[in-house]
Amino acid sequence: MVAATNSLSKEDKRAKFEAVFPILVDEIVDYLTSVNVPQDAKDWFKKSLYHNTLGGKYNRGLSVIDTYEILSGKALDDNSYFRAALLGWCIELLQAFFLVADDMMDESKTRRGQPCWYLMPNVGSIAINDSFMLESAIYFLLKKHFRHETYYVDLLDLFHEVTFQTTLGQELDLLTAPENHVDLSKFSQDKHAFIVIFKTAYYSFYLPVALAMCMANVATPDNLQRASDVLIPLGKYFQIQDDYLDCYGDPSVTGKVGTDILDNKCSWLINVALAKASPEQRKVLDENYGRKDADCEKRVKAVFEELNLKKAYEEYEESEVSTIKQRISVLDESAGLKKEAFTTFLNKIYKRSK
């Protein structure tokens, strides 16, 4: 039986992907049973898996499937789909691991429309260990399903390397822009670039494609480097879009009211503003950025308007997209890389409004 995912609607793709998750949870629970884990601990972990892993957009997980189907050049049979989806769910577990910890560090209240895990009844600091367990589930599933593949070690290396890169990005973000201590002298465009590349681009853009490349047996060092040369700038562009939409997006479209200015975020907008600001404008930014006050936010936005950051963003977007398209155009398809895998990513992002 063949599963042609590219012909499915967005909703059907999502439902098909979600249908794999309970199978993986059952495999994890069966393992816990085999090593005599008590029932209450099994129930706890199962609840954590569902609470923290389900409910997102699944962009990262679904990208593994879409990319593998493009690289393989044919519709996926049930077994191929399951294995690609499993790798996709491993990225979603990685995301869950990051978010459980991130919500505690940020003292966030909600995630995906429900209370953050550490705020659930009786959880509290147990969430720290639960985040470790979410990460460990990745390696259990990889070993169970891929240990006999020639690229098994490559999968392990990718997850370990990208986890390290992401935590480096998170570390610099925390040190540069703590929510309760505003110091714009710590901000810079170089720091912002490092944070968004390491905190977002590697695991959100490079990892899904690299995993699909491993499955398709085209993950040579040269191909991985060429993929990185496209995907890392693409991930950076995506995050800068997010920064822009946080300030200038329509909440009725984005589904959220932006809080980057109030939360002292080291965003692209504030870094461009700091580079362009006059001494008087800089004084306004220093006195008002990162303050939990609507009037302070308005003063910052007024400086953004004076500096015409909308135009600065539009110029950045066109320049960056032009560079990315050029890099895609020179990819060597004879080596197994297909330009469609990268243009698909770009087309989903370019000029997005949410």
Side-chain angles (χ1 to χ4, degrees):
M1 184 175 170
V2 171
T5 60
N6 283 338
S7 63
L8 299 176
S9 69
K10 185 176 180 179
E11 292 74 19
D12 288 343
K13 279 187 177 184
R14 181 183 173 90
K16 185 177 179 66
F17 182 60
E18 280 191 325
V20 173
F21 189 66
I23 300 170
L24 306 181
V25 173
D26 287 346
E27 290 181 351
I28 294 167
V29 173
D30 287 346
Y31 169 73
L32 299 182
T33 300
S34 74
V35 295
N36 300 316
V37 171
Q39 188 64 44
D40 56 346
K42 289 191 292 186
D43 292 343
W44 182 282
F45 189 28
K46 186 173 182 178
K47 184 177 180 181
S48 169
L49 284 163
Y50 276 101
H51 183 100
N52 293 308
T53 314
L54 294 181
K57 297 176 182 177
Y58 307 141
N59 289 336
R60 299 165 184 85
L62 290 168
S63 291
V64 180
I65 301 165
D66 291 343
T67 304
Y68 179 56
E69 190 161 50
I70 291 169
L71 292 176
S72 65
K74 59 185 178 182
L76 305 182
D77 61 30
D78 287 348
N79 182 58
S80 295
Y81 177 86
F82 176 81
R83 287 160 67 81
L86 187 154
L87 290 179
W89 278 114
C90 284
I91 303 181
E92 297 297 329
L93 284 166
L94 185 67
Q95 164 87 334
F97 155 56
F98 290 149
L99 294 182
V100 169
D102 190 59
D103 286 342
M104 294 188 75
M105 287 182 270
D106 291 347
E107 299 182 358
S108 299
K109 304 303 179 188
T110 60
R111 170 71 65 182
R112 297 168 179 166
Q114 57 185 348
C116 295
W117 178 242
Y118 78 100
L119 293 175
M120 292 293 287
N122 305 314
V123 178
S125 61
I126 297 173
I128 298 170
N129 192 66
D130 292 334
S131 73
F132 300 156
M133 292 179 70
L134 291 166
E135 182 192 24
S136 298
I138 297 168
Y139 299 101
F140 166 78
L141 292 170
L142 291 178
K143 182 177 180 180
K144 179 177 176 63
H145 292 276
F146 292 95
R147 65 181 301 184
H148 298 300
E149 299 290 347
T150 57
Y151 53 84
Y152 173 56
V153 173
D154 296 326
L155 298 180
L156 298 179
D157 281 350
L158 280 167
F159 274 100
H160 285 307
E161 181 179 27
V162 169
T163 300
F164 190 29
Q165 289 164 328
T166 306
T167 54
L168 286 171
Q170 171 75 344
E171 180 82 350
L172 185 60
D173 194 17
L174 292 168
L175 293 174
T176 302
E179 194 169 331
N180 58 356
H181 180 70
V182 182
D183 182 359
L184 298 186
S185 68
K186 289 186 175 182
F187 287 15
S188 73
Q189 289 175 298
D190 286 343
K191 279 187 177 179
H192 175 264
F194 183 94
I195 290 167
V196 301
I197 288 171
F198 278 74
K199 187 177 176 179
T200 301
Y202 277 112
Y203 93 97
S204 299
F205 286 82
Y206 174 68
L207 182 59
V209 174
L211 294 176
M213 289 169 65
C214 287
M215 279 194 69
N217 293 311
V218 296
T220 64
D222 282 349
N223 278 350
L224 288 170
Q225 184 58 58
R226 291 188 178 96
S228 177
D229 290 343
V230 171
L231 295 164
I232 298 307
L234 194 58
K236 180 184 174 187
Y237 163 48
F238 175 86
Q239 186 56 54
I240 289 173
Q241 269 186 326
D242 251 17
D243 292 352
Y244 177 81
L245 291 172
D246 183 90
C247 184
Y248 292 111
D250 181 350
S252 67
V253 177
T254 63
K256 61 181 180 180
V257 176
T259 60
D260 282 0
I261 294 171
L262 298 171
D263 294 342
N264 190 38
K265 294 296 184 182
C266 182
S267 79
W268 183 83
L269 292 171
I270 184 61
N271 280 290
V272 173
L274 291 171
K276 298 176 63 158
S278 68
E280 293 78 14
Q281 290 168 324
R282 173 61 187 254
K283 187 173 186 292
V284 174
L285 296 174
D286 281 328
E287 292 175 352
N288 293 278
Y289 196 81
R291 270 67 179 182
K292 304 288 189 182
D293 183 283
D295 289 334
C296 291
E297 183 185 34
K298 287 178 183 176
R299 294 185 193 108
V300 172
K301 286 187 174 182
V303 173
F304 286 1
E305 289 295 324
E306 292 167 11
L307 296 171
N308 203 359
L309 294 193
K310 283 185 177 180
K311 182 180 180 183
Y313 171 76
E314 291 167 0
E315 290 173 350
Y316 159 79
E317 181 174 47
E318 293 310 313
S319 173
E320 191 71 0
V321 169
S322 176
T323 299
I324 292 168
K325 285 181 176 178
Q326 192 279 328
R327 291 184 180 182
I328 294 173
S329 71
V330 298
L331 290 175
D332 183 5
E333 293 197 335
S334 67
L337 285 183
K338 293 191 178 179
K339 296 173 185 177
E340 182 188 352
F342 301 91
T343 54
T344 298
F345 257 109
L346 179 58
N347 291 339
K348 289 178 181 177
I349 296 167
Y350 183 53
K351 297 290 187 183
R352 70 187 174 98
S353 58
K354 62 179 179 179

